[in-house]
Amino acid sequence: MSDTIFGKIIRREIPADIVYENDEVLAFRDLNPQAPVHVLFIPKRPLATLNDAAESDAGLLGRLLLAASAYARQEGFAESGYRTVINCNEHGGQTVFHLHVHLLAGRHMHWPPG
Ligand code: AMP
């Protein structure tokens, strides 16, 4: 997989507002927030898209979501609610080809999305 801007963030080659990190997950604020809270949860091991995840990545995908819900609890908006999104490829609106979970909170979300 070719390198992306998120690879540079993982290696600390470019700055990011990092809010959470463990051995396999990094979370940082989105540069162009779509809600008062907009944090991206990424695996440190690069997977380009959700299509590239295999059965052996099931635990990692689960832990990305659990990191997002733990962050929501820690920040006090778990009960009021939030949205998690994974965009995949062109029709999904994916622009950075390093798998990431968007966590959006702090306002009412609408459905269906645009
Ligand atoms: P997606 O469209 O799902 O691929 O989302 C990519 C997200 O990455 C967008 O919401 C961008 O605003 C965000 N983004 C791009 N570059 C950076 C960066 N250097 N730091 C933080 N967020 C970024």
Side-chain angles (χ1 to χ4, degrees), residues 59-110:
L60 173 63
L61 292 175
R63 287 189 291 278
L64 277 176
L65 292 174
L66 290 172
S69 67
Y71 181 76
R73 276 194 302 279
Q74 174 197 302
E75 296 300 306
F77 58 79
E79 292 309 316
S80 54
Y82 55 91
R83 178 172 291 175
T84 51
V85 175
I86 300 175
N87 296 324
C88 183
N89 281 342
E90 184 184 352
H91 284 191
Q94 185 173 6
T95 59
V96 178
F97 288 86
H98 181 127
L99 178 79
H100 48 282
V101 176
H102 295 258
L103 172 65
L104 299 142
R107 65 168 171 82
H108 281 92
M109 306 293 157
H110 303 289

mmCIF file of all heavy atoms in Angstrom, residues 59-110:
data_model
loop_
_atom_site.group_PDB
_atom_site.id
_atom_site.type_symbol
_atom_site.label_atom_id
_atom_site.label_comp_id
_atom_site.label_asym_id
_atom_site.label_seq_id
_atom_site.Cartn_x
_atom_site.Cartn_y
_atom_site.Cartn_z
ATOM 1 N N GLY A 59 -10.622 -8.458 15.014
ATOM 2 C CA GLY A 59 -10.344 -7.917 16.347
ATOM 3 C C GLY A 59 -9.930 -6.459 16.281
ATOM 4 O O GLY A 59 -10.389 -5.625 17.077
ATOM 5 N N LEU A 60 -9.077 -6.144 15.330
ATOM 6 C CA LEU A 60 -8.613 -4.765 15.167
ATOM 7 C C LEU A 60 -9.792 -3.832 14.857
ATOM 8 O O LEU A 60 -9.909 -2.750 15.444
ATOM 9 C CB LEU A 60 -7.578 -4.702 14.037
ATOM 10 C CG LEU A 60 -7.103 -3.312 13.629
ATOM 11 C CD1 LEU A 60 -6.387 -2.632 14.791
ATOM 12 C CD2 LEU A 60 -6.183 -3.402 12.414
ATOM 13 N N LEU A 61 -10.676 -4.255 13.944
ATOM 14 C CA LEU A 61 -11.829 -3.412 13.603
ATOM 15 C C LEU A 61 -12.705 -3.198 14.827
ATOM 16 O O LEU A 61 -13.191 -2.087 15.070
ATOM 17 C CB LEU A 61 -12.643 -4.060 12.477
ATOM 18 C CG LEU A 61 -11.955 -4.126 11.120
ATOM 19 C CD1 LEU A 61 -12.820 -4.895 10.129
ATOM 20 C CD2 LEU A 61 -11.653 -2.733 10.591
ATOM 21 N N GLY A 62 -12.903 -4.249 15.598
ATOM 22 C CA GLY A 62 -13.696 -4.116 16.816
ATOM 23 C C GLY A 62 -13.044 -3.172 17.806
ATOM 24 O O GLY A 62 -13.715 -2.329 18.415
ATOM 25 N N ARG A 63 -11.744 -3.283 17.940
ATOM 26 C CA ARG A 63 -11.055 -2.425 18.914
ATOM 27 C C ARG A 63 -11.044 -0.962 18.471
ATOM 28 O O ARG A 63 -11.037 -0.062 19.318
ATOM 29 C CB ARG A 63 -9.646 -2.961 19.181
ATOM 30 C CG ARG A 63 -9.687 -4.240 20.021
ATOM 31 C CD ARG A 63 -8.315 -4.688 20.483
ATOM 32 N NE ARG A 63 -7.458 -5.167 19.408
ATOM 33 C CZ ARG A 63 -7.495 -6.400 18.888
ATOM 34 N NH1 ARG A 63 -8.359 -7.294 19.348
ATOM 35 N NH2 ARG A 63 -6.659 -6.752 17.926
ATOM 36 N N LEU A 64 -11.066 -0.706 17.156
ATOM 37 C CA LEU A 64 -11.192 0.689 16.692
ATOM 38 C C LEU A 64 -12.525 1.268 17.171
ATOM 39 O O LEU A 64 -12.585 2.398 17.669
ATOM 40 C CB LEU A 64 -11.159 0.751 15.161
ATOM 41 C CG LEU A 64 -9.814 0.738 14.455
ATOM 42 C CD1 LEU A 64 -10.036 0.693 12.943
ATOM 43 C CD2 LEU A 64 -8.977 1.952 14.821
ATOM 44 N N LEU A 65 -13.599 0.483 17.021
ATOM 45 C CA LEU A 65 -14.912 0.966 17.458
ATOM 46 C C LEU A 65 -14.963 1.104 18.978
ATOM 47 O O LEU A 65 -15.540 2.063 19.507
ATOM 48 C CB LEU A 65 -16.012 0.022 16.961
ATOM 49 C CG LEU A 65 -16.236 0.017 15.451
ATOM 50 C CD1 LEU A 65 -17.237 -1.055 15.059
ATOM 51 C CD2 LEU A 65 -16.716 1.393 14.966
ATOM 52 N N LEU A 66 -14.362 0.158 19.679
ATOM 53 C CA LEU A 66 -14.362 0.245 21.144
ATOM 54 C C LEU A 66 -13.539 1.443 21.625
ATOM 55 O O LEU A 66 -13.895 2.075 22.629
ATOM 56 C CB LEU A 66 -13.832 -1.058 21.749
ATOM 57 C CG LEU A 66 -14.771 -2.253 21.595
ATOM 58 C CD1 LEU A 66 -14.080 -3.534 22.045
ATOM 59 C CD2 LEU A 66 -16.068 -2.040 22.376
ATOM 60 N N ALA A 67 -12.475 1.765 20.921
ATOM 61 C CA ALA A 67 -11.697 2.962 21.283
ATOM 62 C C ALA A 67 -12.562 4.207 21.101
ATOM 63 O O ALA A 67 -12.511 5.140 21.920
ATOM 64 C CB ALA A 67 -10.432 3.050 20.423
ATOM 65 N N ALA A 68 -13.367 4.222 20.039
ATOM 66 C CA ALA A 68 -14.244 5.375 19.803
ATOM 67 C C ALA A 68 -15.308 5.478 20.906
ATOM 68 O O ALA A 68 -15.559 6.568 21.434
ATOM 69 C CB ALA A 68 -14.909 5.255 18.426
ATOM 70 N N SER A 69 -15.917 4.377 21.281
ATOM 71 C CA SER A 69 -16.962 4.452 22.326
ATOM 72 C C SER A 69 -16.350 4.779 23.682
ATOM 73 O O SER A 69 -16.953 5.492 24.492
ATOM 74 C CB SER A 69 -17.807 3.173 22.371
ATOM 75 O OG SER A 69 -17.040 2.072 22.792
ATOM 76 N N ALA A 70 -15.151 4.286 23.942
ATOM 77 C CA ALA A 70 -14.486 4.628 25.209
ATOM 78 C C ALA A 70 -14.191 6.126 25.259
ATOM 79 O O ALA A 70 -14.345 6.775 26.303
ATOM 80 C CB ALA A 70 -13.195 3.817 25.361
ATOM 81 N N TYR A 71 -13.774 6.676 24.125
ATOM 82 C CA TYR A 71 -13.503 8.115 24.057
ATOM 83 C C TYR A 71 -14.789 8.902 24.305
ATOM 84 O O TYR A 71 -14.788 9.904 25.034
ATOM 85 C CB TYR A 71 -12.901 8.461 22.694
ATOM 86 C CG TYR A 71 -12.556 9.919 22.538
ATOM 87 C CD1 TYR A 71 -11.423 10.460 23.149
ATOM 88 C CD2 TYR A 71 -13.360 10.772 21.784
ATOM 89 C CE1 TYR A 71 -11.107 11.806 23.017
ATOM 90 C CE2 TYR A 71 -13.050 12.121 21.646
ATOM 91 C CZ TYR A 71 -11.921 12.628 22.268
ATOM 92 O OH TYR A 71 -11.619 13.963 22.142
ATOM 93 N N ALA A 72 -15.891 8.435 23.714
ATOM 94 C CA ALA A 72 -17.184 9.109 23.913
ATOM 95 C C ALA A 72 -17.576 9.097 25.395
ATOM 96 O O ALA A 72 -18.051 10.104 25.928
ATOM 97 C CB ALA A 72 -18.262 8.432 23.071
ATOM 98 N N ARG A 73 -17.365 7.986 26.056
ATOM 99 C CA ARG A 73 -17.668 7.921 27.504
ATOM 100 C C ARG A 73 -16.761 8.868 28.274
ATOM 101 O O ARG A 73 -17.212 9.628 29.131
ATOM 102 C CB ARG A 73 -17.501 6.491 28.023
ATOM 103 C CG ARG A 73 -18.719 5.612 27.812
ATOM 104 C CD ARG A 73 -18.632 4.336 28.635
ATOM 105 N NE ARG A 73 -17.445 3.553 28.318
ATOM 106 C CZ ARG A 73 -17.351 2.745 27.266
ATOM 107 N NH1 ARG A 73 -18.359 2.635 26.415
ATOM 108 N NH2 ARG A 73 -16.243 2.061 27.051
ATOM 109 N N GLN A 74 -15.472 8.816 27.958
ATOM 110 C CA GLN A 74 -14.490 9.657 28.660
ATOM 111 C C GLN A 74 -14.824 11.136 28.499
ATOM 112 O O GLN A 74 -14.690 11.919 29.451
ATOM 113 C CB GLN A 74 -13.098 9.368 28.075
ATOM 114 C CG GLN A 74 -11.987 10.269 28.612
ATOM 115 C CD GLN A 74 -10.753 10.223 27.718
ATOM 116 O OE1 GLN A 74 -10.196 9.154 27.493
ATOM 117 N NE2 GLN A 74 -10.342 11.365 27.190
ATOM 118 N N GLU A 75 -15.262 11.520 27.307
ATOM 119 C CA GLU A 75 -15.531 12.936 27.036
ATOM 120 C C GLU A 75 -16.937 13.358 27.428
ATOM 121 O O GLU A 75 -17.294 14.535 27.307
ATOM 122 C CB GLU A 75 -15.286 13.237 25.551
ATOM 123 C CG GLU A 75 -13.834 13.046 25.125
ATOM 124 C CD GLU A 75 -12.880 13.958 25.891
ATOM 125 O OE1 GLU A 75 -13.099 15.180 25.901
ATOM 126 O OE2 GLU A 75 -11.920 13.434 26.517
ATOM 127 N N GLY A 76 -17.772 12.379 27.855
ATOM 128 C CA GLY A 76 -19.073 12.712 28.415
ATOM 129 C C GLY A 76 -20.205 12.863 27.417
ATOM 130 O O GLY A 76 -21.258 13.392 27.767
ATOM 131 N N PHE A 77 -20.019 12.402 26.174
ATOM 132 C CA PHE A 77 -21.119 12.512 25.216
ATOM 133 C C PHE A 77 -21.645 11.148 24.764
ATOM 134 O O PHE A 77 -22.415 11.069 23.797
ATOM 135 C CB PHE A 77 -20.747 13.405 24.031
ATOM 136 C CG PHE A 77 -19.532 12.956 23.240
ATOM 137 C CD1 PHE A 77 -19.623 11.929 22.318
ATOM 138 C CD2 PHE A 77 -18.310 13.580 23.426
ATOM 139 C CE1 PHE A 77 -18.525 11.522 21.597
ATOM 140 C CE2 PHE A 77 -17.198 13.182 22.691
ATOM 141 C CZ PHE A 77 -17.306 12.149 21.779
ATOM 142 N N ALA A 78 -21.280 10.091 25.485
ATOM 143 C CA ALA A 78 -21.760 8.756 25.082
ATOM 144 C C ALA A 78 -23.280 8.678 25.169
ATOM 145 O O ALA A 78 -23.937 8.114 24.286
ATOM 146 C CB ALA A 78 -21.113 7.679 25.951
ATOM 147 N N GLU A 79 -23.853 9.248 26.228
ATOM 148 C CA GLU A 79 -25.308 9.134 26.421
ATOM 149 C C GLU A 79 -26.068 10.046 25.469
ATOM 150 O O GLU A 79 -27.100 9.654 24.921
ATOM 151 C CB GLU A 79 -25.673 9.434 27.875
ATOM 152 C CG GLU A 79 -25.177 8.376 28.858
ATOM 153 C CD GLU A 79 -25.566 6.960 28.441
ATOM 154 O OE1 GLU A 79 -26.725 6.745 28.027
ATOM 155 O OE2 GLU A 79 -24.703 6.070 28.517
ATOM 156 N N SER A 80 -25.584 11.270 25.257
ATOM 157 C CA SER A 80 -26.274 12.161 24.314
ATOM 158 C C SER A 80 -26.142 11.632 22.891
ATOM 159 O O SER A 80 -27.046 11.793 22.070
ATOM 160 C CB SER A 80 -25.750 13.589 24.426
ATOM 161 O OG SER A 80 -24.361 13.634 24.280
ATOM 162 N N GLY A 81 -25.039 10.978 22.590
ATOM 163 C CA GLY A 81 -24.907 10.268 21.335
ATOM 164 C C GLY A 81 -23.874 10.831 20.387
ATOM 165 O O GLY A 81 -23.324 11.917 20.589
ATOM 166 N N TYR A 82 -23.640 10.074 19.367
ATOM 167 C CA TYR A 82 -22.593 10.400 18.393
ATOM 168 C C TYR A 82 -22.794 9.521 17.180
ATOM 169 O O TYR A 82 -23.670 8.652 17.148
ATOM 170 C CB TYR A 82 -21.203 10.175 19.011
ATOM 171 C CG TYR A 82 -20.979 8.797 19.577
ATOM 172 C CD1 TYR A 82 -20.452 7.781 18.797
ATOM 173 C CD2 TYR A 82 -21.322 8.502 20.899
ATOM 174 C CE1 TYR A 82 -20.258 6.518 19.307
ATOM 175 C CE2 TYR A 82 -21.131 7.238 21.418
ATOM 176 C CZ TYR A 82 -20.596 6.245 20.630
ATOM 177 O OH TYR A 82 -20.408 4.985 21.132
ATOM 178 N N ARG A 83 -21.993 9.762 16.168
ATOM 179 C CA ARG A 83 -22.040 8.940 14.954
ATOM 180 C C ARG A 83 -20.644 8.431 14.636
ATOM 181 O O ARG A 83 -19.671 9.179 14.753
ATOM 182 C CB ARG A 83 -22.583 9.755 13.777
ATOM 183 C CG ARG A 83 -22.623 8.970 12.468
ATOM 184 C CD ARG A 83 -23.331 9.732 11.371
ATOM 185 N NE ARG A 83 -24.762 9.832 11.645
ATOM 186 C CZ ARG A 83 -25.622 10.519 10.903
ATOM 187 N NH1 ARG A 83 -25.195 11.166 9.831
ATOM 188 N NH2 ARG A 83 -26.902 10.562 11.211
ATOM 189 N N THR A 84 -20.544 7.172 14.214
ATOM 190 C CA THR A 84 -19.284 6.638 13.690
ATOM 191 C C THR A 84 -19.506 6.296 12.215
ATOM 192 O O THR A 84 -20.565 5.776 11.848
ATOM 193 C CB THR A 84 -18.813 5.384 14.451
ATOM 194 O OG1 THR A 84 -19.884 4.443 14.510
ATOM 195 C CG2 THR A 84 -18.358 5.723 15.856
ATOM 196 N N VAL A 85 -18.502 6.612 11.395
ATOM 197 C CA VAL A 85 -18.612 6.434 9.946
ATOM 198 C C VAL A 85 -17.296 5.887 9.406
ATOM 199 O O VAL A 85 -16.221 6.350 9.798
ATOM 200 C CB VAL A 85 -18.889 7.798 9.254
ATOM 201 C CG1 VAL A 85 -18.894 7.651 7.734
ATOM 202 C CG2 VAL A 85 -20.192 8.411 9.736
ATOM 203 N N ILE A 86 -17.403 4.915 8.505
ATOM 204 C CA ILE A 86 -16.233 4.478 7.719
ATOM 205 C C ILE A 86 -16.594 4.669 6.250
ATOM 206 O O ILE A 86 -17.511 4.001 5.741
ATOM 207 C CB ILE A 86 -15.879 3.001 7.977
ATOM 208 C CG1 ILE A 86 -15.543 2.756 9.455
ATOM 209 C CG2 ILE A 86 -14.705 2.575 7.080
ATOM 210 C CD1 ILE A 86 -15.305 1.287 9.804
ATOM 211 N N ASN A 87 -15.916 5.587 5.586
ATOM 212 C CA ASN A 87 -16.145 5.797 4.163
ATOM 213 C C ASN A 87 -15.268 4.838 3.371
ATOM 214 O O ASN A 87 -14.105 4.626 3.724
ATOM 215 C CB ASN A 87 -15.807 7.241 3.779
ATOM 216 C CG ASN A 87 -16.718 8.245 4.458
ATOM 217 O OD1 ASN A 87 -17.907 7.986 4.646
ATOM 218 N ND2 ASN A 87 -16.168 9.389 4.851
ATOM 219 N N CYS A 88 -15.823 4.271 2.305
ATOM 220 C CA CYS A 88 -15.058 3.316 1.495
ATOM 221 C C CYS A 88 -15.122 3.680 0.017
ATOM 222 O O CYS A 88 -16.212 3.733 -0.569
ATOM 223 C CB CYS A 88 -15.580 1.896 1.709
ATOM 224 S SG CYS A 88 -14.610 0.674 0.800
ATOM 225 N N ASN A 89 -13.942 3.975 -0.521
ATOM 226 C CA ASN A 89 -13.784 4.215 -1.967
ATOM 227 C C ASN A 89 -14.619 5.390 -2.479
ATOM 228 O O ASN A 89 -15.111 6.196 -1.678
ATOM 229 C CB ASN A 89 -14.034 2.923 -2.749
ATOM 230 C CG ASN A 89 -12.812 2.007 -2.713
ATOM 231 O OD1 ASN A 89 -11.721 2.450 -2.411
ATOM 232 N ND2 ASN A 89 -12.993 0.738 -3.020
ATOM 233 N N GLU A 90 -14.744 5.473 -3.771
ATOM 234 C CA GLU A 90 -15.259 6.702 -4.396
ATOM 235 C C GLU A 90 -16.685 7.035 -3.962
ATOM 236 O O GLU A 90 -16.977 8.142 -3.514
ATOM 237 C CB GLU A 90 -15.188 6.553 -5.923
ATOM 238 C CG GLU A 90 -15.604 7.820 -6.650
ATOM 239 C CD GLU A 90 -15.612 7.634 -8.159
ATOM 240 O OE1 GLU A 90 -15.163 6.582 -8.638
ATOM 241 O OE2 GLU A 90 -16.093 8.559 -8.840
ATOM 242 N N HIS A 91 -17.581 6.085 -4.069
ATOM 243 C CA HIS A 91 -18.973 6.393 -3.734
ATOM 244 C C HIS A 91 -19.170 6.604 -2.240
ATOM 245 O O HIS A 91 -20.119 7.273 -1.823
ATOM 246 C CB HIS A 91 -19.905 5.285 -4.256
ATOM 247 C CG HIS A 91 -20.133 5.354 -5.728
ATOM 248 N ND1 HIS A 91 -21.082 4.611 -6.382
ATOM 249 C CD2 HIS A 91 -19.513 6.090 -6.687
ATOM 250 C CE1 HIS A 91 -21.052 4.881 -7.684
ATOM 251 N NE2 HIS A 91 -20.098 5.770 -7.885
ATOM 252 N N GLY A 92 -18.283 6.059 -1.447
ATOM 253 C CA GLY A 92 -18.353 6.287 0.002
ATOM 254 C C GLY A 92 -17.762 7.623 0.409
ATOM 255 O O GLY A 92 -17.910 8.029 1.571
ATOM 256 N N GLY A 93 -17.076 8.283 -0.517
ATOM 257 C CA GLY A 93 -16.491 9.580 -0.201
ATOM 258 C C GLY A 93 -15.142 9.485 0.480
ATOM 259 O O GLY A 93 -14.690 10.439 1.111
ATOM 260 N N GLN A 94 -14.463 8.344 0.321
ATOM 261 C CA GLN A 94 -13.147 8.195 0.957
ATOM 262 C C GLN A 94 -12.107 9.007 0.200
ATOM 263 O O GLN A 94 -12.029 8.936 -1.034
ATOM 264 C CB GLN A 94 -12.739 6.719 0.991
ATOM 265 C CG GLN A 94 -11.433 6.484 1.744
ATOM 266 C CD GLN A 94 -11.117 4.999 1.928
ATOM 267 O OE1 GLN A 94 -11.814 4.126 1.400
ATOM 268 N NE2 GLN A 94 -10.065 4.722 2.681
ATOM 269 N N THR A 95 -11.317 9.779 0.938
ATOM 270 C CA THR A 95 -10.272 10.594 0.314
ATOM 271 C C THR A 95 -8.877 10.227 0.799
ATOM 272 O O THR A 95 -7.889 10.519 0.124
ATOM 273 C CB THR A 95 -10.497 12.096 0.578
ATOM 274 O OG1 THR A 95 -10.510 12.321 1.994
ATOM 275 C CG2 THR A 95 -11.809 12.574 -0.025
ATOM 276 N N VAL A 96 -8.781 9.626 1.975
ATOM 277 C CA VAL A 96 -7.480 9.187 2.500
ATOM 278 C C VAL A 96 -7.521 7.662 2.586
ATOM 279 O O VAL A 96 -8.373 7.096 3.291
ATOM 280 C CB VAL A 96 -7.180 9.809 3.882
ATOM 281 C CG1 VAL A 96 -5.846 9.284 4.410
ATOM 282 C CG2 VAL A 96 -7.152 11.339 3.799
ATOM 283 N N PHE A 97 -6.581 7.027 1.862
ATOM 284 C CA PHE A 97 -6.654 5.573 1.738
ATOM 285 C C PHE A 97 -5.806 4.875 2.802
ATOM 286 O O PHE A 97 -4.891 4.103 2.515
ATOM 287 C CB PHE A 97 -6.349 5.167 0.292
ATOM 288 C CG PHE A 97 -7.520 5.555 -0.571
ATOM 289 C CD1 PHE A 97 -7.614 6.841 -1.096
ATOM 290 C CD2 PHE A 97 -8.574 4.674 -0.767
ATOM 291 C CE1 PHE A 97 -8.724 7.223 -1.837
ATOM 292 C CE2 PHE A 97 -9.690 5.048 -1.494
ATOM 293 C CZ PHE A 97 -9.762 6.324 -2.031
ATOM 294 N N HIS A 98 -6.185 5.187 4.035
ATOM 295 C CA HIS A 98 -5.721 4.496 5.242
ATOM 296 C C HIS A 98 -6.989 4.412 6.077
ATOM 297 O O HIS A 98 -7.526 5.458 6.490
ATOM 298 C CB HIS A 98 -4.619 5.318 5.930
ATOM 299 C CG HIS A 98 -4.049 4.683 7.160
ATOM 300 N ND1 HIS A 98 -2.703 4.486 7.358
ATOM 301 C CD2 HIS A 98 -4.653 4.208 8.275
ATOM 302 C CE1 HIS A 98 -2.499 3.921 8.539
ATOM 303 N NE2 HIS A 98 -3.668 3.747 9.121
ATOM 304 N N LEU A 99 -7.494 3.203 6.278
ATOM 305 C CA LEU A 99 -8.777 2.991 6.952
ATOM 306 C C LEU A 99 -8.909 3.864 8.201
ATOM 307 O O LEU A 99 -7.967 3.948 8.995
ATOM 308 C CB LEU A 99 -8.896 1.514 7.357
ATOM 309 C CG LEU A 99 -10.157 1.124 8.106
ATOM 310 C CD1 LEU A 99 -11.299 0.958 7.127
ATOM 311 C CD2 LEU A 99 -9.952 -0.143 8.896
ATOM 312 N N HIS A 100 -10.060 4.500 8.352
ATOM 313 C CA HIS A 100 -10.292 5.324 9.538
ATOM 314 C C HIS A 100 -11.767 5.335 9.882
ATOM 315 O O HIS A 100 -12.629 5.262 9.017
ATOM 316 C CB HIS A 100 -9.777 6.750 9.332
ATOM 317 C CG HIS A 100 -10.210 7.378 8.042
ATOM 318 N ND1 HIS A 100 -9.613 7.077 6.839
ATOM 319 C CD2 HIS A 100 -11.180 8.275 7.765
ATOM 320 C CE1 HIS A 100 -10.191 7.761 5.877
ATOM 321 N NE2 HIS A 100 -11.164 8.500 6.406
ATOM 322 N N VAL A 101 -12.017 5.458 11.183
ATOM 323 C CA VAL A 101 -13.378 5.603 11.705
ATOM 324 C C VAL A 101 -13.545 7.060 12.108
ATOM 325 O O VAL A 101 -12.796 7.564 12.947
ATOM 326 C CB VAL A 101 -13.614 4.696 12.932
ATOM 327 C CG1 VAL A 101 -15.004 4.934 13.505
ATOM 328 C CG2 VAL A 101 -13.426 3.230 12.569
ATOM 329 N N HIS A 102 -14.523 7.736 11.501
ATOM 330 C CA HIS A 102 -14.860 9.089 11.931
ATOM 331 C C HIS A 102 -15.764 8.989 13.164
ATOM 332 O O HIS A 102 -16.738 8.235 13.150
ATOM 333 C CB HIS A 102 -15.678 9.822 10.861
ATOM 334 C CG HIS A 102 -14.970 10.093 9.580
ATOM 335 N ND1 HIS A 102 -14.457 11.335 9.272
ATOM 336 C CD2 HIS A 102 -14.710 9.295 8.512
ATOM 337 C CE1 HIS A 102 -13.914 11.287 8.050
ATOM 338 N NE2 HIS A 102 -14.059 10.072 7.573
ATOM 339 N N LEU A 103 -15.471 9.750 14.191
ATOM 340 C CA LEU A 103 -16.354 9.895 15.349
ATOM 341 C C LEU A 103 -16.830 11.346 15.359
ATOM 342 O O LEU A 103 -16.013 12.276 15.455
ATOM 343 C CB LEU A 103 -15.607 9.576 16.642
ATOM 344 C CG LEU A 103 -16.348 9.877 17.944
ATOM 345 C CD1 LEU A 103 -17.591 9.001 18.089
ATOM 346 C CD2 LEU A 103 -15.431 9.681 19.140
ATOM 347 N N LEU A 104 -18.137 11.518 15.210
ATOM 348 C CA LEU A 104 -18.738 12.861 15.143
ATOM 349 C C LEU A 104 -19.707 13.026 16.302
ATOM 350 O O LEU A 104 -20.527 12.135 16.564
ATOM 351 C CB LEU A 104 -19.491 13.018 13.822
ATOM 352 C CG LEU A 104 -18.619 12.875 12.573
ATOM 353 C CD1 LEU A 104 -19.356 12.140 11.474
ATOM 354 C CD2 LEU A 104 -18.159 14.236 12.091
ATOM 355 N N ALA A 105 -19.637 14.188 16.957
ATOM 356 C CA ALA A 105 -20.509 14.415 18.108
ATOM 357 C C ALA A 105 -20.645 15.900 18.366
ATOM 358 O O ALA A 105 -19.949 16.723 17.764
ATOM 359 C CB ALA A 105 -19.931 13.716 19.339
ATOM 360 N N GLY A 106 -21.571 16.214 19.257
ATOM 361 C CA GLY A 106 -21.726 17.602 19.685
ATOM 362 C C GLY A 106 -22.832 18.338 18.960
ATOM 363 O O GLY A 106 -23.041 19.533 19.199
ATOM 364 N N ARG A 107 -23.538 17.681 18.084
ATOM 365 C CA ARG A 107 -24.711 18.275 17.435
ATOM 366 C C ARG A 107 -25.617 17.126 16.988
ATOM 367 O O ARG A 107 -25.192 15.965 16.937
ATOM 368 C CB ARG A 107 -24.326 19.139 16.242
ATOM 369 C CG ARG A 107 -23.696 18.395 15.083
ATOM 370 C CD ARG A 107 -23.623 19.275 13.841
ATOM 371 N NE ARG A 107 -22.849 18.704 12.757
ATOM 372 C CZ ARG A 107 -23.296 17.803 11.887
ATOM 373 N NH1 ARG A 107 -24.512 17.295 12.013
ATOM 374 N NH2 ARG A 107 -22.512 17.358 10.910
ATOM 375 N N HIS A 108 -26.847 17.465 16.628
ATOM 376 C CA HIS A 108 -27.741 16.450 16.077
ATOM 377 C C HIS A 108 -27.271 16.049 14.685
ATOM 378 O O HIS A 108 -26.984 16.914 13.859
ATOM 379 C CB HIS A 108 -29.180 16.970 16.002
ATOM 380 C CG HIS A 108 -29.884 16.925 17.312
ATOM 381 N ND1 HIS A 108 -29.908 17.984 18.198
ATOM 382 C CD2 HIS A 108 -30.582 15.925 17.906
ATOM 383 C CE1 HIS A 108 -30.585 17.649 19.270
ATOM 384 N NE2 HIS A 108 -31.009 16.404 19.133
ATOM 385 N N MET A 109 -27.204 14.760 14.428
ATOM 386 C CA MET A 109 -26.865 14.259 13.100
ATOM 387 C C MET A 109 -28.169 13.993 12.347
ATOM 388 O O MET A 109 -29.197 13.697 12.955
ATOM 389 C CB MET A 109 -26.081 12.941 13.202
ATOM 390 C CG MET A 109 -24.855 13.022 14.075
ATOM 391 S SD MET A 109 -23.559 14.072 13.399
ATOM 392 C CE MET A 109 -22.682 14.486 14.925
ATOM 393 N N HIS A 110 -28.097 14.083 11.047
ATOM 394 C CA HIS A 110 -29.291 13.856 10.237
ATOM 395 C C HIS A 110 -29.162 12.556 9.458
ATOM 396 O O HIS A 110 -28.057 12.099 9.161
ATOM 397 C CB HIS A 110 -29.508 15.040 9.290
ATOM 398 C CG HIS A 110 -29.611 16.338 10.019
ATOM 399 N ND1 HIS A 110 -30.696 16.660 10.790
ATOM 400 C CD2 HIS A 110 -28.730 17.358 10.153
ATOM 401 C CE1 HIS A 110 -30.494 17.846 11.354
ATOM 402 N NE2 HIS A 110 -29.299 18.280 10.983
#
